Amino acid sequence: MTERRDPSSVDLTQEPSLDAAAHDGAAQGLPAPSGALLDPRILAAWREWLAALATDAEAAIAAAHVYGELGPEAREAWLDVLAEDAPKLQVPAVAIYAPLLSVESDAGRRERIEIAIEGGEHAPRPTGGFALRGVAAGGDRVVALVTPLYLRFVRVLWCRYLPEDGIAWARHDPIVRAEDAPGPGILLDGAQLEATPIKLVIEELCHAVLAQQRKGAELPPSLQLCADLFDAHLEGDPLP
């Protein structure tokens, strides 16, 4: 029998972000990753909270936020706890793991989460969604790329770029209620965004990513978190 890892074993003097994340989670009713998880009453509350991820938007958003604030060792401990608890719940694995996947950039942990979602099979990349695009001063494209996560949740990639020159800036909203997603007519950097075929926007962004790489400039972390949107279009030159 595999010993259950205690996330409290993380040295807070070496991982200050864990303490901040724990306080943030507690403020939102989230059982923080700590040795208290081993107490039967707290463990019951933790599992009840996990079950709520399938229907409670605030819980899902809090999970993404708190997990995103943790360091590598604390994230591994969280996933170890989930590996033991998730199969005991009558909740789809995607509801428990998708909020974490939305903010995880490490390839190894992403693979671990994807396998957990599919029960041993690799999770399919998100499909569908829509794009909004406008043209700012100087010809820069500004876009909002909305793609599905699970249930009624989406992620939003906001970006300003020139296909032939690279990325000016990018921002990622990892988990958003579908009803709160941006719509046609919103203003971004002075440009009004209108519905545009998503394939066209992704192709333009791919050109901008390649231009950024050719200049030797680093890609914004937000784009790296959304690498799955572009890998299939980069013809052997994926995002790093």
Side-chain angles (χ1 to χ4, degrees):
M1 180 176 178
T2 303
E3 181 181 357
R4 179 188 178 110
R5 287 191 65 193
D6 178 358
S8 66
S9 63
V10 178
D11 185 353
L12 292 179
T13 64
Q14 300 297 319
E15 189 54 69
S17 62
L18 176 60
D19 187 49
H23 284 294
D24 189 24
Q28 301 188 52
L30 170 61
S34 71
L37 289 177
L38 303 179
D39 180 283
R41 294 168 298 175
I42 303 301
L43 182 57
W46 161 255
R47 290 176 176 170
E48 182 178 353
W49 175 79
L50 288 178
L53 293 178
T55 56
D56 187 334
E58 295 299 333
I61 292 170
H65 176 74
V66 176
Y67 181 84
E69 292 294 318
L70 299 179
E73 189 175 352
R75 292 188 184 190
E76 293 288 353
W78 187 313
L79 294 177
D80 287 344
V81 172
L82 286 185
E84 180 175 337
D85 289 340
K88 301 173 184 177
L89 303 172
Q90 298 300 313
V91 179
V94 66
I96 294 174
Y97 285 100
L100 314 186
L101 186 63
S102 70
V103 295
E104 182 58 77
S105 59
D106 177 78
R109 283 191 296 272
R110 286 187 65 88
E111 181 178 24
R112 181 179 179 184
I113 293 170
E114 289 171 347
I115 291 174
I117 289 174
E118 291 299 303
E121 300 291 335
H122 284 279
R125 295 299 187 184
T127 59
F130 62 91
L132 306 172
R133 187 185 68 162
V135 180
D140 284 16
R141 276 66 157 182
V142 286
V143 302
L145 192 58
V146 182
T147 51
L149 279 176
Y150 73 103
L151 300 178
R152 292 287 297 166
F153 295 106
V154 300
R155 60 179 174 173
V156 184
L157 175 65
W158 307 86
C159 195
R160 178 168 178 157
Y161 61 92
L162 273 174
E164 66 277 10
D165 191 53
I167 311 295
W169 59 259
R171 188 180 82 243
H172 178 224
D173 292 335
I175 182 166
V176 178
R177 301 177 189 85
E179 58 269 25
D180 294 334
I186 67 167
L187 292 176
L188 180 64
D189 280 5
Q192 183 169 298
L193 307 191
E194 300 297 343
T196 304
I198 191 170
K199 182 178 180 181
L200 172 62
V201 171
I202 290 178
E203 288 177 349
E204 283 190 346
L205 274 168
C206 286
H207 285 295
V209 167
L210 291 175
Q212 191 91 346
Q213 292 174 331
R214 293 189 188 104
K215 292 192 301 184
E218 185 176 356
L219 290 171
S222 295
L223 279 177
Q224 296 179 35
L225 282 171
C226 297
D228 57 280
L229 295 174
F230 308 102
D231 283 350
H233 298 263
L234 290 176
E235 299 180 351
D237 193 8
L239 291 175

